[in-house]
Each structure stands twice: as C-alpha cells, then as structure tokens.
Amino acid sequence: MSNEDRRNPRFDEDLHFERSDGPPDYAYRTDGPVRYFAVADDTGTVLGYVWGNDQDDAAAWEPRPAAGPKAFNGGFLWDMKLREFKARGAAPTVALTEMFRDSGDIESSRVVPGSLAEAPTLAALKELAGKG
C-alpha cells in the first residue's frame, strides 16, 4: 500500500474555527479594499500591519514573517485592542483611525507615523507583508 493510498482525505479539507463565546471579534477576511497602518518595534523594524474593512466588518493583525517571532507575538496585543473597539460597536476603520491617531506604544511596538494607507485587497496587503 503506497503512502498515497493511506492518506486520509480529511487532512486535505480546510478547517474553519468558530468561537461560541469570548470577546467579540471582527471578521478576519474580506475581498474588498483595506485601510491599514504599519507597526514597528523599538528599532524601527516593521512587525506587521493592523487593517480593517467596514463593508465586511473585518479587521485584524497581519504579521510580517521576515520580522520573526516578535511579529507574531506582538500581534496579540493589537488584536486585543481591536476587540476592545469591536465590543464598543466601532466600525473597523473607526478603530484604525483612533488607534493610529492615539499611536501610543503597546509593549515595545508602536504605530509608524504617516503609514495610514489603503490596499486594494487583503491579498495585496499580505503580499506587502511578505506572504505573497
């Protein structure tokens, strides 16, 4: 019996996780344009991007893989900030605008001044982050 014959077809299925409790979240996907801003560490290395799209009520952290573990770990705090805005009923771009305007440090990361921009799609932002 070959390895191909023993492979379980369920391992090829996409997994979709849904939470039934916990803090409210924006959606993690959108097909529309996204507004975003860059977040950097103390050395100025861009760790990732906070993005949002009002049409799909979507917003999340997009890490830059080239920035290493700090990019993935640091995103947790920015996601928590997004959850605070979602709990208040704020639209994703309102959350982004307020986070950008306040631009305070969050655990050794900070908003990059002048980085508020728009990408035509989330895929384009992921390409910018290095996931192309």
Side-chain angles (χ1 to χ4, degrees):
M1 180 180 273
S2 73
N3 284 341
E4 192 69 28
D5 294 332
R6 287 184 274 173
R7 191 175 72 206
N8 186 330
R10 292 190 309 168
F11 292 136
D12 293 329
E13 296 176 10
D14 285 337
L15 297 177
H16 299 282
F17 296 99
E18 294 183 26
R19 283 196 286 190
S20 58
D21 58 0
D25 267 332
Y26 294 108
Y28 294 108
R29 296 181 186 171
T30 182
D31 291 325
V34 295
R35 291 195 48 87
Y36 68 90
F37 61 81
V39 173
D41 65 11
D42 294 336
T43 68
T45 300
V46 174
L47 300 174
Y49 305 91
V50 179
W51 63 267
N53 169 287
D54 288 347
Q55 182 179 0
D56 293 321
D57 196 37
W61 167 258
E62 186 61 42
R64 267 191 70 238
K70 285 170 56 174
F72 294 94
N73 297 335
F76 172 77
L77 297 169
W78 292 94
D79 273 334
M80 295 303 295
K81 199 86 160 136
L82 286 170
R83 285 187 183 130
E84 291 173 20
F85 281 98
K86 177 63 175 174
R88 293 190 337 221
T93 57
V94 169
L96 260 64
T97 300
E98 287 189 32
M99 291 167 76
F100 184 80
R101 185 182 59 226
D102 294 341
S103 63
D105 290 357
I106 297 182
E107 292 287 322
S108 300
S109 63
R110 60 180 170 70
V111 172
V112 175
S115 66
L116 189 61
E118 188 167 311
T121 63
L122 181 55
L125 180 60
K126 287 183 179 208
E127 186 173 322
L128 175 66
K131 291 185 174 181

